[in-house]
Every structure is written in C-alpha cells, then in structure tokens.
C-alpha cells in the first residue's frame, strides 16, 4: 500500500517536471516570436491595403478617362466670342456640330428660349452620365426624357430618389396652362413634383404671363446649377461655391472638371515591402480630408466611400444650399427686370446735355438765369434767344419726367 502510494507520487512528480519543461520550452523567446508574428500580420495588412489602393487607383483613372470621353462626345468645348467693344469672351458650348451655349445664371434673362432649353437638356444628360461613371448620387435627382416623358426634369433634394413613378408635369408648368395635366397631378397629391428644365418663351414674358411657371423654372435651373457645384466639390475642384455668383458659370465648371481635369492629379503608391512603410490607404484611416481627386470619392465603393466621417466633413465645406441659391437668384432676376423697365439715355443725348449744362451756357443760347432754373433755350428765326421771355422758353416737359424715365415693360407690349 505504501509502495503503491510512493509509486503514484513519483509519477505525479515526473508529470509536473515534464509540464514545467514544456512550459519553459513554450515561453522561451516568446517576446521575439510574438513580435515576429505581429510583423507578419501587419505585413499582410499592408499588402492587402496596397492591393486595394492599386485597384482603386485603376478605378479612379478609368473613371477620369470615361468622364473626359463622354464630355468630348457630348460636344463640351470652349470657344471665344468677340464683343462689340472688341474684347473677347470665353463661352462654353455643348452639343454636336455648332452646339448651343451653356448659359450662366447671370445671362439667363436674355437667353433665347429654344437655345436655353436645349442647353439645359444637354447639361442634364451629361451630368447623369458623369454621375453614373463616377458612382455618385447627385443631391437633386434628374430624370432624363423617356417614354411619356419628353423633357428633362429635376427634383428637390428632399423629394429625390424616392422610387415613385411620377407623371410628367404640364409643359407650361402651371395649372392654368394645362388643365388636364393639372388634374392628373392633383389626383395624387403625395407624389413629388418635378421641375421642368424647359421653357417655351422668353424669361421676361414667362414672368409676366405665368408667375408659377416662372418660379418653378428658376427653381429647376438653380437645382441644376447646385448639382454641378456639388459634383465639382465632391471631385476636388478648388472652388468655394459660397455664393450664387460662384455657382453661376456652369459651363466653365464642367469644362474645368471634365476636360482640363484640374483635380485629376497623379498619385504614387508606396511599396509595402519597403521598410517602415505604413498602410497607404490615407482616406480610409484619415480623420480629415483637405482635397480629393476626380473619381476618388464615390457612393459606389467601400474605398473612399463618400458617407464616411472624413469625406462627409469635406463635403460640409459646400455651405451654399439649394434654397438660398434659388432665393438669391430670384432676387437678382427681379432687380434685372426692374432695371430693364427704365429708359437709358443714348450717347448723343448725353453729349447734347453736356453742351447745354456742362459747357458754356451763353454759347448754347442760354442765360445765367436759364442755367440756374434748368430751362432750355428757345431760338428765334435769326438764331438768337429772345430776352425777357422766360415763360416761352420754359421746357414743355411734365413734372417728374426728368432724368430716368420708366417705360412700358416688354412683356406688356
């Protein structure tokens, strides 16, 4: 019995000694081996990041190439236009053959309706294709012409991408112009209302004859300009877009973004086999972003996804919103329309006034008292001005018609 207990005790002692030996062997150089294993994992992560960055770089380059190709195929180009005073102005054209001008918001007042409608439709088509190639979703959804939908339309950002089938609005925008189209829209009041990128008459005529249609059209153009500004901002074009004047030149922004590609700067990737190379997926791990490349940020890839915090903060630099843009643009058009209702003196009339007032009044047949009272000279048959006949020399102009004179609006003619 005692011998058996001693034997079992010896066996347990041998097992404990073996375990101590195994533990000593397992823990021998553990820090070094642990560091080596961590280095292997980090090296594998770097290799995967490098492969992902290289693939994303190829995607970015392909996106930039597709955007440039579709812009050239759409006929987007720059040309110079000579003004009457001899100076040259850069204008941007889109469309085949001669194409049509891409009008700035500032020049919308005098734009021909047919050319303006064609220009807006072509710009809308180009924006939709470029957004598809870049994998981004524009803030204001654009619907291109299709069956039972002959013109391009645009939605408010809050009403975009709801996935509902919306009937085509009336061609004149307002309920009074198309009763049948109005009844179609009124039967489904919860549907979003698209804005037509189309106009069938000069803008000042539309303003005077159909105020609701005018308001919707201005809103549509403002939303289209905002889409252009948002796209340029997301693809790294260095513009602030803080005011509507900066958003106004849509053609110039599209040309710089798609043709000259000012934001498409080459990127060199670090080899993960180099010593002390950190993972090169800067946008994935960065806390802030200061710039972007054409095709880098998108909604279609996990790499440089537009919804992450860094990219969302970068897009937060676009402080101008569609509502403010529309309000400021409408205020500008209103001031332009009011200014056009006032007649402007020609150069010949100004010269005559300078001779009578700023020149020698006596040579012009006026006395000192006439100059002080603002009377015009009346000449006799021999070309001299009669003296003492103040009442006969008084101008026949009515009171309140001196200087600028308000005339009838063109829309009322």
């Amino acid at each position: 019995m005692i011998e058996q207990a001693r034997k079992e005790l010896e066996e347990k002692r041998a097992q404990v000694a073996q375990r101590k030996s195994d533990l000593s062997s397992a823990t021998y150089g553990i820090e070094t081996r642990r560091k080596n294993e961590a280095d292997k994992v980090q090296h594998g992560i770097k290799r995967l990041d490098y492969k992902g960055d290289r693939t994303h770089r190829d995607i970015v380059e392909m996106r930039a190439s597709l955007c440039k190709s579709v812009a050239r195929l759409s006929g987007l180009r720059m040309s110079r236009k000579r003004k009457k005073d001899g100076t040259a102005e850069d204008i941007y054209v889109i469309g085949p053959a001669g194409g049509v001008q891409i009008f700035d918001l500032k020049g919308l007042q005098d734009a021909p309706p047919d050319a303006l409608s064609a220009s807006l439709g072509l710009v809308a088509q180009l924006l939709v294709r470029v957004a598809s190639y870049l994998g981004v979703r524009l803030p204001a959804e654009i619907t291109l012409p299709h069956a039972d939908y002959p013109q391009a339309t645009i939605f408010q950002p809050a009403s975009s991408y709801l996935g509902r089938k919306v009937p085509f609005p009336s061609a004149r925008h307002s309920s009074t112009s198309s009763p049948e189209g109005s009844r179609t829209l009124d039967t489904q009041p919860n549907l979003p209302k698209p804005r037509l990128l189309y106009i069938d008459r000069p803008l000042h005529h539309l303003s005077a004859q159909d105020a609701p249609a005018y308001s919707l059209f201005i809103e549509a153009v403002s939303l289209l300009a905002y889409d252009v500004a948002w796209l340029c901002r997301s693809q790294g074009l260095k513009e602030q877009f803080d005011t509507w004047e900066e958003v106004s030149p849509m053609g110039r922004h599209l040309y710089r973004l798609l043709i000259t590609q000012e934001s498409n700067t080459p990127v060199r990737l670090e080899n993960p086999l180099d010593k002390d190379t950190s993972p090169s997926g800067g946008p994935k791990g960065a806390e802030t972003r200061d710039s972007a490349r054409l095709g880098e940020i998108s909604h279609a890839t996990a790499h440089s996804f537009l919804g992450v915090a860094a990219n969302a903060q970068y897009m937060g630099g676009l402080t101008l919103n569609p509502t403010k843009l529309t309000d400021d643009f409408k205020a500008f058009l209103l001031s332009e329309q009011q200014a056009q209702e006032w007649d402007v003196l020609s150069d010949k009339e100004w010269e005559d006034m300078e001779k009578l007032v700023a020149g020698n009044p006596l040579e012009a047949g006026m006395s000192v008292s006439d100059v002080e009272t603002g009377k015009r000279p009346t000449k006799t048959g021999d070309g001299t001005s009669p003296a003492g006949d103040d009442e006969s020399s008084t101008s026949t102009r009515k009171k309140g018609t001196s200087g600028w004179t308000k005339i009838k609006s063109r829309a009322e003619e």
Side-chain angles (χ1 to χ4, degrees):
M1 191 84 170
I2 295 177
E3 291 296 332
Q4 184 178 358
R6 287 177 179 176
K7 186 177 180 181
E8 291 177 357
L9 182 60
E10 291 296 333
E11 291 177 357
K12 290 182 179 180
R13 286 176 179 175
Q15 293 176 359
V16 171
Q18 183 63 38
R19 290 178 179 177
K20 288 182 179 181
S21 176
D22 295 341
L23 179 61
S24 176
S25 301
T27 56
Y28 178 76
I30 189 171
E31 295 297 333
T32 303
R33 287 188 284 118
R34 181 180 292 154
K35 185 177 181 303
N36 292 337
E37 291 297 327
D39 291 342
K40 290 181 181 179
V41 174
Q42 291 294 334
H43 186 76
I45 294 174
K46 293 177 186 179
R47 184 180 295 274
L48 291 176
D49 286 342
Y50 175 75
K51 290 182 178 180
D53 292 342
R54 185 177 59 184
T55 302
H56 186 68
R57 182 193 59 184
D58 296 340
I59 293 175
V60 170
E61 292 177 354
M62 181 58 65
R63 286 173 176 171
S65 177
L66 288 173
C67 289
K68 191 168 187 176
S69 299
V70 73
R72 291 190 179 278
L73 290 174
S74 67
L76 179 61
R77 58 193 180 277
M78 181 183 68
S79 62
R80 288 189 175 273
K81 180 181 178 182
R82 288 286 179 181
K83 294 183 178 181
K84 294 181 179 179
D85 56 358
T87 60
E89 177 188 9
D90 293 338
I91 63 173
Y92 298 89
V93 180
I94 190 171
V100 292
Q101 180 183 350
I102 302 178
F103 296 94
D104 296 352
L105 296 185
K106 294 181 179 179
L108 219 63
Q109 187 71 30
D110 301 325
D114 294 338
L116 178 58
S117 299
S119 173
L120 294 176
L122 292 173
V123 170
Q125 290 184 10
L126 178 60
L127 274 180
V128 170
R129 292 188 180 183
V130 168
S132 176
Y133 291 149
L134 294 176
V136 297
R137 192 175 71 175
L138 298 172
E141 181 185 5
I142 299 174
T143 303
L144 296 180
H146 56 276
D148 300 328
Y149 224 85
Q151 301 291 342
T153 62
I154 191 167
F155 291 83
Q156 282 278 8
S159 303
S160 300
Y161 309 104
L162 299 181
R164 299 181 182 180
K165 186 177 181 181
V166 179
F168 184 73
S170 61
R172 295 271 300 276
H173 296 270
S174 68
S175 58
T176 59
S177 62
S178 178
E180 183 179 355
S182 175
R183 288 195 297 269
T184 301
L185 293 177
D186 290 341
T187 56
Q188 301 176 359
N190 293 328
L191 290 177
K193 295 180 180 180
R195 276 70 172 150
L196 267 175
L197 292 168
Y198 169 80
I199 188 174
D200 59 355
R201 70 195 77 175
L203 199 60
H204 55 274
H205 286 178
L206 185 65
S207 173
Q209 299 171 5
D210 198 342
Y214 172 80
S215 179
L216 289 176
F217 178 74
I218 296 303
E219 188 175 348
V221 178
S222 301
L223 290 173
L224 186 68
Y226 183 79
D227 274 352
V228 173
W230 185 92
L231 183 67
C232 294
R233 172 70 181 181
S234 66
Q235 303 308 311
L237 196 62
K238 297 186 186 318
E239 292 287 346
Q240 294 299 325
F241 300 115
D242 292 332
T243 61
W244 77 271
E245 290 89 348
E246 296 176 347
V247 177
S248 173
M250 293 187 290
R252 181 168 66 89
H253 294 328
L254 290 174
Y255 186 84
R256 292 175 56 197
L257 178 69
L258 303 177
I259 300 298
T260 60
Q261 295 191 353
E262 298 180 9
S263 61
N264 188 19
T265 56
V267 175
R268 179 180 176 273
L269 298 180
E270 298 289 343
N271 191 335
L273 299 180
D274 293 343
K275 185 177 181 180
D276 296 334
T277 301
S278 59
S280 57
K284 300 188 297 297
E287 296 181 358
T288 59
R289 173 188 285 276
D290 297 329
S291 62
R293 295 178 58 202
L294 175 61
E296 181 179 1
I297 304 176
S298 71
H299 291 107
T301 55
H303 192 294
S304 299
F305 180 62
L306 204 148
V308 300
N311 295 332
Q313 183 179 4
Y314 169 73
M315 289 302 299
L318 183 61
T319 57
L320 188 65
N321 57 70
T323 303
K324 188 178 187 314
L325 172 60
T326 304
D327 293 341
D328 293 346
F329 183 38
K330 285 183 179 179
F332 168 77
L333 291 178
L334 180 60
S335 63
E336 285 288 310
Q337 292 174 1
Q338 292 176 347
Q340 288 183 357
E341 293 178 354
W342 293 87
D343 193 13
V344 182
L345 296 178
S346 64
D347 294 338
K348 181 66 169 58
E349 292 171 331
W350 277 111
E351 291 176 1
D352 296 341
M353 183 182 298
E354 289 176 356
K355 291 179 180 179
L356 294 173
V357 178
N360 189 343
L362 299 179
E363 292 180 359
M366 298 177 64
S367 63
V368 177
S369 61
D370 292 336
V371 176
E372 294 175 353
T373 56
K375 299 177 182 178
R376 290 182 178 270
T378 58
K379 297 185 178 180
T380 62
D382 58 355
T384 61
S385 178
D389 192 8
D390 293 342
E391 294 182 358
S392 62
S393 63
T394 305
S395 175
T396 58
R397 288 183 301 174
K398 296 181 179 180
K399 183 180 180 180
T401 59
S402 61
W404 292 83
T405 303
K406 194 168 186 179
I407 63 175
K408 186 188 296 183
S409 173
R410 296 186 180 92
E412 299 174 0
E413 296 177 354

